[in-house]
Amino acid sequence: MAAKIVVLPESLSSKIAAGEVVERPASILKELLENALDAGATDITVELEKGGRGSIKVIDNGEGIESAEVPLAFERFATSKIYQFDDIYKVRSYGFRGEALPSIGAISRVEMVTRKESSLSGTRAIVEAGRLESITDTGCPVGTSVWVNHIFDPVPVRKKFLKTEATEQVYCMDVITRTAISHPEVRIRVVVHGREILNVPAAGDISERVSLVLGKDFIDHMLPVKGARGSMTIEGLASKPDFSRSSAKQLYYFVNKRFIRDYLLNHAVMTAYRRLIEAKKYPAAILFIDLPPGDVDVNVHPAKMEVRFRNPREIYDIVAETLVHALANIAPVSSGAKGRTMPEGYGERVREALKRYTVTSGSGKLFFNKTVTDYPKPGPAKEQIREKEQSQISPEEIRVEQETAGKGLKFTDLEYIGQFAGTYLVFSSSDGLTLVDQHAAHERVLFDKLKMETALRGEKIMSQRLLIPEVASLSPGEFAIITESMKILEDMGIEVEPFGEKTVILKSVPAMLSHVEPKELFFEILEELSNAERPLGLEERQEKIFALLACKGAVKANQKLSEAEVMRLCRDLDATQFSSTCPHGRPVYISFNLRDIERMFKRK
Ligand code: ADP
Ligand code: MG
């Protein structure tokens, strides 16, 4: 890239989704790494002091910057990557806003040393609290090194929001991990307090790199995945069903090599793994989605961690489809740990049994397994099914599972008989009996609605302003959590505003929860966010709040429902993707097959 750095005209810079990119040391590191990659570096060294709170240095062997252009690099909206607005829809580089270096320079002390191959000597520039302090010639290798220290010195309040060194270092390492995974061709070295903690040579492919970064054990549990549709391709790795994690942290999505977070993609992945892994567990996946830059808008989020797809539905389908295929192609294997091989016809029989016994919840749990008389082998039926699911999956079957998992029951086709124990809705059909837990069902419906609303359409949740705003006093820790989550809360219809040092004003709540006491709701959300054992990502925070809102908003047990309300719930259940479990993983419904009932009565 021999492009010159220019300051973008006002007319253009005002259209850029500018915003605070420097939230914490890890965000500085992310910007510096992206600049190094944009400069074509093949060798990058990162040095961290005090988890990045002390200082961050990134040294690259990229193309360097022309001496005369160095001061420009620190000017707002000065970039060498775009020249006109439409370029935003063509860029393949990480940067294009010309915002990172000036933002970083404004809150710290930056020392940049850089040289182009064509120049005999290099340039050293020092920027302190937004001011170019000095610029001198210097001898240095080709490439650029940027050393950022005194982070947040000019804005001491920002330091208060930083976590411990250890935590900030985890954030930094997350950034490095993502960079290393998406750029196997680049050698990456990380030095912490003078000690080398990572040194990965340029790798031939993703698997080689992933195995070095995330471990041999991790890669052993992964399957290659590959798919394409039109001009869109997807490639990467996804975990086998015998591997799961309790958080979605190991789901990595790279859209045109850019790491992003996305509900829609999470949803698509979870759809593919339905029934293959337990409820509340997540698979691991590293997915590279490549599509023409014009089909994805990266200009929607300051740190570019979220994107907007032109055709979200298509992305959803291709991701789910590709994973389903990869999972379906797992060769039949022996039953793992125990080393047993499945007897002839085992799969067929279990499949048969599965069809008859729809008494499973979404998590694959089998109810009333004691009445099951003809299971192929003694032992807990649940395990056998899981064994089978993990080892003998045919493509057809996965498709059937997909359909029956969420959509197995068409609730509107069932005949409503009545409410049992004030909690369970009883339905019959020509071939069985179904019990629906009204709270779990409604919770699932609300949860999916909330998620889809924000994920698919990028809409905010409808909020209702409080007639009299509520004032809540918080501990410093709680205050920090709320100020960190303010934007997410707002998107969810919960408007809070800091009011002094430790007080916030609650101004609105989600419209669907207008029947709940606002302050109680607020403190429950706060508790949910504070209870996390480790810092939560944006998306995890959102998920937690969604689940809470759904739970609070849902009809309770021992609440009488009118027939019209039951019908409405049935229609909603038919429209959701995941109707078989509630957001907490409890089953939404249990069905009894007519034949099983007859057998229980010894009629057959
Ligand atoms: P952006 O990346 O959005 O263009 P930045 O503020 O991150 O904005 O960087 C401004 C400009 O400085 C870049 O466009 C690029 O020309 C130059 N630059 C920054 N870092 C490097 C680097 N490590 N190597 C070469 N050029 C760099
Ligand atoms: Mg940049």
Side-chain angles (χ1 to χ4, degrees):
M1 189 174 35
K4 274 197 162 349
I5 303 182
V6 296
V7 178
L8 300 174
E10 228 283 322
S11 58
L12 203 169
S13 62
S14 59
K15 290 188 194 143
I16 287 177
E20 194 49 79
V21 289
V22 191
E23 200 191 335
R24 53 175 8 104
S27 19
I28 299 180
L29 178 60
K30 173 176 183 279
E31 296 295 334
L32 298 184
L33 285 171
E34 292 188 348
N35 279 348
L37 293 167
D38 282 346
T42 55
D43 193 325
I44 300 177
T45 296
V46 177
E47 293 175 12
L48 298 177
E49 297 292 331
K50 299 194 173 164
R53 291 178 56 147
S55 85
I56 299 170
K57 190 172 193 176
V58 173
I59 307 162
D60 70 55
N61 68 343
E63 60 167 1
I65 307 174
E66 196 74 62
S67 174
E69 292 182 12
V70 171
L72 264 182
F74 287 95
E75 265 187 49
R76 201 144 230 124
F77 304 123
T79 179
S80 56
K81 299 166 194 174
I82 62 167
Y83 296 102
Q84 52 202 29
F85 187 65
D86 280 354
D87 292 347
I88 286 184
Y89 301 106
K90 297 179 201 141
V91 282
R92 290 234 170 235
S93 58
Y94 286 110
F96 54 79
R97 294 172 182 153
E99 250 214 318
L101 286 181
S103 310
I104 296 167
I107 52 93
S108 64
R109 178 181 183 278
V110 181
E111 187 171 330
M112 175 190 268
V113 176
T114 183
R115 178 160 81 88
K116 283 188 95 83
E117 200 170 9
S118 53
S119 310
L120 286 177
S121 72
T123 311
R124 175 190 309 272
I126 295 175
V127 171
E128 254 184 273
R131 271 190 47 202
L132 181 62
E133 293 293 334
S134 80
I135 184 153
T136 47
D137 281 354
T138 181
C140 64
V142 173
T144 306
S145 86
V146 181
W147 181 33
V148 184
N149 49 37
H150 294 282
I151 294 166
F152 291 139
D153 272 7
V155 267
V157 289
R158 299 287 299 276
K159 278 197 190 171
K160 286 196 204 146
F161 291 103
L162 294 183
K163 305 262 169 56
T164 60
E165 271 177 40
T167 304
E168 293 299 337
Q169 184 163 319
V170 169
Y171 285 127
C172 288
M173 290 312 292
D174 283 348
V175 169
I176 292 167
T177 303
R178 293 166 199 155
T179 309
I181 294 175
S182 53
H183 291 272
E185 74 287 358
V186 177
R187 171 178 182 250
I188 296 182
R189 220 166 69 87
V190 180
V191 178
V192 169
H193 293 291
R195 206 168 63 86
E196 186 178 278
I197 63 162
L198 184 79
N199 187 349
V200 287
D205 62 21
I206 293 293
S207 303
E208 202 180 321
R209 176 49 64 93
V210 169
S211 141
L212 283 178
V213 177
L214 298 176
K216 172 92 174 56
D217 179 57
F218 181 87
I219 199 86
D220 284 347
H221 285 99
M222 303 298 270
L223 293 167
V225 300
K226 203 172 170 138
R229 181 184 286 189
S231 49
M232 182 159 63
T233 61
I234 164 171
E235 204 171 345
L237 300 165
S239 58
K240 295 174 193 164
D242 60 354
F243 177 96
S244 66
R245 286 285 179 267
S246 51
S247 85
K249 237 195 121 192
Q250 305 253 44
L251 292 174
Y252 297 90
Y253 312 119
F254 298 93
V255 171
N256 293 346
K257 292 222 162 184
R258 207 183 274 289
F259 173 82
I260 58 147
R261 301 222 171 267
D262 195 276
Y263 292 124
L264 193 73
L265 294 178
N266 277 350
H267 205 282
V269 171
M270 295 312 286
T271 301
Y273 279 90
R274 275 193 63 62
R275 297 278 190 114
L276 293 180
I277 57 177
E278 280 172 60
K280 287 185 166 175
K281 293 278 182 193
Y282 297 83
I286 297 173
L287 301 178
F288 292 94
I289 299 163
D290 283 291
L291 67 178
D295 286 350
V296 52
D297 190 352
V298 289
N299 188 30
V300 291
H301 185 260
K304 310 188 192 89
M305 285 278 271
E306 283 159 28
V307 295
R308 194 172 294 141
F309 296 110
R310 189 190 292 257
N311 301 310
R313 187 75 232 179
E314 226 178 297
I315 309 264
Y316 184 97
D317 289 344
I318 182 189
V319 169
E321 213 176 276
T322 304
L323 288 175
V324 165
H325 274 280
L327 290 165
N329 284 332
I330 310 174
V333 288
S334 65
S335 60
K338 291 167 219 119
R340 276 184 287 126
T341 325
M342 296 299 173
E344 195 65 22
Y346 174 84
E348 196 48 49
R349 275 191 285 159
V350 183
R351 205 166 304 148
E352 257 291 303
L354 258 177
K355 266 191 208 129
R356 275 183 288 111
Y357 292 88
T358 5
V359 281
T360 56
S361 77
S363 58
K365 283 198 194 91
L366 201 80
F367 289 83
F368 300 106
N369 53 20
K370 286 199 191 78
T371 64
V372 176
T373 50
D374 61 346
Y375 258 86
K377 276 187 188 168
K382 173 184 160 189
E383 253 168 45
Q384 290 185 3
I385 287 183
R386 290 194 48 78
E387 264 175 23
K388 177 228 135 248
E389 283 186 336
Q390 287 166 14
S391 55
Q392 309 227 334
I393 312 158
S394 70
E396 295 74 11
E397 199 185 337
I398 286 224
R399 230 157 277 132
V400 174
E401 293 257 319
Q402 286 256 315
E403 278 150 27
T404 49
K407 306 275 168 221
L409 270 185
K410 195 158 180 247
F411 291 90
T412 43
D413 283 350
L414 303 176
E415 191 191 334
Y416 178 54
I417 301 178
Q419 202 181 27
F420 169 65
T423 303
Y424 306 101
L425 308 174
V426 186
F427 296 89
S428 77
S429 68
S430 56
D431 59 358
L433 190 70
T434 298
L435 294 181
V436 172
D437 178 323
Q438 63 186 42
H439 175 70
H442 196 207
E443 210 178 346
R444 164 52 66 195
V445 164
L446 292 179
F447 184 76
D448 272 26
K449 265 192 194 158
L450 289 167
K451 244 168 98 159
M452 277 307 179
E453 227 167 74
T454 46
L456 263 184
R457 280 177 265 131
E459 281 172 16
K460 288 191 183 179
I461 305 224
M462 270 244 288
S463 71
Q464 178 164 338
R465 284 204 152 255
L466 297 178
L467 221 46
I468 304 160
E470 301 261 2
V471 178
S473 320
L474 309 174
S475 74
E478 289 172 334
F479 187 75
I481 290 173
I482 289 299
T483 31
E484 260 174 31
S485 307
M486 242 152 66
K487 175 75 180 68
I488 310 179
L489 290 172
E490 195 192 315
D491 287 350
M492 298 193 171
I494 305 160
E495 215 184 318
V496 282
E497 209 171 75
F499 181 64
E501 278 284 295
K502 284 187 228 107
T503 310
V504 292
I505 301 182
L506 178 61
K507 293 171 113 177
S508 69
V509 294
M512 67 171 215
L513 289 179
S514 51
H515 56 288
V516 180
E517 217 272 298
K519 219 160 152 178
E520 180 191 314
L521 177 71
F522 174 77
F523 277 105
E524 278 191 36
I525 290 173
L526 182 61
E527 196 174 324
E528 195 70 32
L529 294 173
S530 332
N531 278 344
E533 292 141 24
R534 54 187 177 77
L536 296 178
L538 183 74
E539 177 197 332
E540 284 174 302
R541 269 184 277 174
Q542 220 154 4
E543 287 259 332
K544 275 187 169 261
I545 302 173
F546 276 147
L548 186 84
L549 294 184
C551 183
K552 292 243 89 176
V555 291
K556 296 280 172 291
N558 294 317
Q559 200 170 322
K560 184 93 193 120
L561 294 190
S562 71
E563 197 145 330
E565 286 170 319
V566 173
M567 291 310 117
R568 169 93 199 268
L569 185 60
C570 288
R571 274 197 303 276
D572 286 345
L573 277 173
D574 283 343
T576 62
Q577 292 265 354
F578 277 160
S579 51
S580 52
T581 52
C582 78
H584 302 110
R586 287 195 298 111
V588 162
Y589 68 91
I590 297 175
S591 297
F592 303 89
N593 191 293
L594 177 59
R595 270 213 267 165
D596 306 333
I597 295 173
E598 284 175 338
R599 196 170 300 139
M600 287 186 225
F601 285 103
K602 308 262 182 255
R603 282 175 170 271
K604 280 214 169 154

